[in-house]
Amino acid sequence: MGSRPQWVTVLGSTGSIGVSTLDVLARHPDRFSVFALTAQTRWEALASQCEAVKPRFAVVASDEHAALLRARLAECKVPTQVLSGAAALAEVAEASEVDTVMAAIVGAAGLLPSFAAVKAGKRVLLANKEVLVMAGGLFMTAARRAGAEVLPIDSEHNAIFQCLPLAGGLAAGLDLTQLGVRKILLTASGGPFRESDVSDLAAVTPQQACAHPNWDMGPKISVDSATMMNKGLEFIEACWLFNAAPRDIEVVIHPQSVIHSLVEYIDGSVLAQLGNPDMRTPIAHALGLPLRLASGVERLDLVNIARLDFQTPDDQRFPCLHLAQQAAGEGRTAPAVLNAANEEAVAAFLQQGLAFTDIARVIEATLGRVNLTEPDSLEVVQQADFEARVIARELIARHAFS
Ligand code: NAD
Ligand code: MG
């Protein structure tokens, strides 16, 4: 790294990953300056972040929130310029001054700004896994063409990345066979309902689903972890990031979330990355690469942890994982449809309009009603996303999915 500080844009800075990113950045003021911060509606939280880090730009979704944020920043004499709307998100991701973009918007809403960042050849720290699920082929191709570096922030993928040979290996475009990899072992905590009675799951409340035993995350990914759709999305994400086929990846339940994933080689070696479950580790890893940066994460106390357990996931308890693995095998727009139906079903569950166990039913029924196409442009992907949402919403409204 040169002597000049790197300019960083944090998309989704008010979320769980966004806040952890600002925490790591604040530990290294000599290395990083914040170019832009963005939020959807939480303009007051964004105002406090702007006061602390004084970014050049702040972006919110609506003009109304932009006006409120502008007034607040003027009162506090913070010189940040306030913008609004989807086009502004892309602008702060692709601006020529920016070196690194943290893509931490949740869901399909992050698609366009994440693409803007890779097309502009940035170092892209990708937390927003839904982008790879929807349009992984297009995203990785766009990154290669523009010379963008895509670094995984999802803790499992960051672990796998750390266990693969980077120099002369992954970075040189070799595939898993050429690297001597036999399997990628993707670990999963199993979420809060790993041991509940399957017959109790229909009555689960949003509050219970969001209470993850190991990780403190936003509401959508917390529900995804409880259904294990999160692992399904991560399965698809891993296929794109590491140029892997579905048969190359095995999901293993590991309730302690200490081993973040493993890579098994043909010589019998199995490499794992371990650490406390705190997203500041993968964030600091990707921000600093090739250097290691302090992250504020507590040291791993192995003696205190004492034991590490492993299990095979149960398809009956976690039908969403199986649906995602099937969609990965089917390819085309199946993962985009799965993702869209899941987003709609999770939103309905969070608003208490859908039972927890109906999330998988809505996704399966939606997949059964669409025609899959080749995702050869972003427009095709967005159309598949749109159509799947219309179908899923209608199924939810009519309660017509079982
Ligand atoms: P969150 O809900 O806490 O935060 C989401 C952020 O995105 C917020 O800043 C919000 O303002 C912004 N946002 C939401 N909808 C938007 C829209 N329509 N337009 C513009 N901005 C919008 O979510 P999170 O837990 O931080 O997760 C972010 C992403 O990172 C997700 O894709 C998630 O799967 C992934 N991820 C999160 C964790 C974690 O520990 N939280 C771990 C791995 C991966
Ligand atoms: Mg993860």
Side-chain angles (χ1 to χ4, degrees):
M1 183 175 301
S3 52
R4 139 186 114 76
Q6 304 287 297
W7 284 101
V8 183
T9 282
V10 184
L11 300 170
S13 64
T14 52
S16 159
I17 294 286
V19 167
S20 293
T21 304
L22 290 181
D23 181 288
V24 177
L25 291 172
R27 293 168 194 275
H28 305 280
D30 50 328
R31 285 185 188 282
F32 304 107
S33 299
V34 178
F35 183 78
L37 297 178
T38 85
Q40 185 184 20
T41 52
R42 294 182 52 215
W43 65 273
E44 283 170 301
L46 188 57
S48 309
Q49 292 183 336
C50 289
E51 265 191 84
V53 303
K54 311 219 165 30
R56 283 215 215 151
F57 296 96
V59 183
V60 284
S62 73
D63 292 345
E64 189 194 336
H65 287 143
L68 291 166
L69 177 60
R70 222 170 263 133
R72 172 72 58 84
L73 293 179
E75 261 171 46
C76 315
K77 303 199 173 1
V78 176
T80 300
Q81 206 177 319
V82 177
L83 308 172
S84 59
L89 283 180
E91 278 165 33
V92 297
E94 71 197 3
S96 60
E97 297 94 322
V98 172
D99 302 289
T100 297
V101 175
M102 165 55 83
I105 289 174
V106 59
L111 189 70
L112 296 180
S114 303
F115 262 87
V118 286
K119 284 187 178 162
K122 307 302 185 195
R123 170 176 278 200
V124 181
L125 277 47
L126 192 69
N128 190 186
K129 65 190 90 188
E130 294 89 350
V131 171
L132 282 179
V133 173
M134 294 175 72
L138 292 168
F139 192 79
M140 297 308 282
T141 305
R144 235 180 347 264
R145 286 203 182 128
E149 218 180 342
V150 178
L151 300 180
I153 294 302
D154 222 334
S155 55
E156 296 78 2
H157 305 72
N158 184 270
I160 295 161
F161 185 88
Q162 293 196 47
C163 295
L164 287 170
L166 190 58
L170 203 56
L174 296 185
D175 66 26
L176 291 180
T177 315
Q178 290 167 310
L179 296 176
V181 172
R182 186 186 282 147
K183 275 260 183 262
I184 287 174
L185 304 171
L186 186 65
T187 56
S189 69
F193 309 129
R194 184 174 53 86
E195 292 187 312
S196 317
D197 252 330
V198 177
S199 58
D200 291 342
L201 294 181
V204 155
T205 65
Q207 205 191 356
Q208 290 169 320
C210 288
H212 196 281
N214 308 337
W215 298 96
D216 183 10
M217 309 179 287
K220 192 258 177 185
I221 183 175
S222 296
V223 177
D224 285 348
S225 297
T227 60
M228 275 193 84
M229 177 53 92
N230 184 49
K231 212 48 53 181
L233 301 178
E234 291 183 357
F235 187 92
I236 300 169
E237 181 186 13
C239 289
W240 289 117
L241 281 170
F242 307 117
N243 196 13
R247 65 174 177 282
D248 298 330
I249 306 170
E250 193 174 309
V251 176
V252 183
I253 293 192
H254 163 47
Q256 290 90 356
S257 299
V258 166
I259 295 183
H260 298 305
S261 277
L262 317 89
V263 176
E264 180 186 333
Y265 289 88
I266 50 172
D267 62 1
S269 298
V270 181
L271 302 190
Q273 186 260 358
L274 287 74
N276 278 319
D278 186 323
M279 291 307 291
R280 290 176 300 177
T281 294
I283 291 167
H285 170 261
L287 279 171
L289 198 76
L291 303 177
R292 294 280 174 171
L293 303 181
S295 65
V297 174
E298 251 185 74
R299 287 191 59 206
L300 183 65
D301 183 345
L302 279 175
V303 172
N304 188 35
I305 291 161
R307 57 180 283 177
L308 301 174
D309 295 303
F310 305 94
Q311 295 166 1
T312 310
D314 162 359
D315 272 357
Q316 222 202 326
R317 179 184 299 274
F318 299 117
C320 284
L321 172 61
H322 184 64
L323 287 172
Q325 288 174 318
Q326 268 183 320
E330 277 182 59
R332 291 177 289 166
T333 42
V337 170
L338 171 103
N339 178 67
N342 180 56
E343 284 191 26
E344 292 297 327
V346 170
F349 167 70
L350 286 170
Q351 289 153 22
Q352 319 227 357
L354 190 72
F356 181 75
T357 40
D358 287 340
I359 295 174
R361 296 197 178 105
V362 169
I363 298 165
E364 189 171 11
T366 305
L367 278 161
R369 280 169 177 72
V370 293
N371 291 317
L372 301 180
T373 48
E374 271 317 314
D376 45 19
S377 71
L378 264 185
E379 290 69 35
V380 171
V381 171
Q382 286 173 303
Q383 184 63 23
D385 174 83
F386 177 78
E387 282 170 14
R389 282 172 200 272
V390 171
I391 295 171
R393 270 187 223 138
E394 199 211 310
L395 291 170
I396 293 167
R398 288 196 295 118
H399 212 78
F401 38 75
S402 16

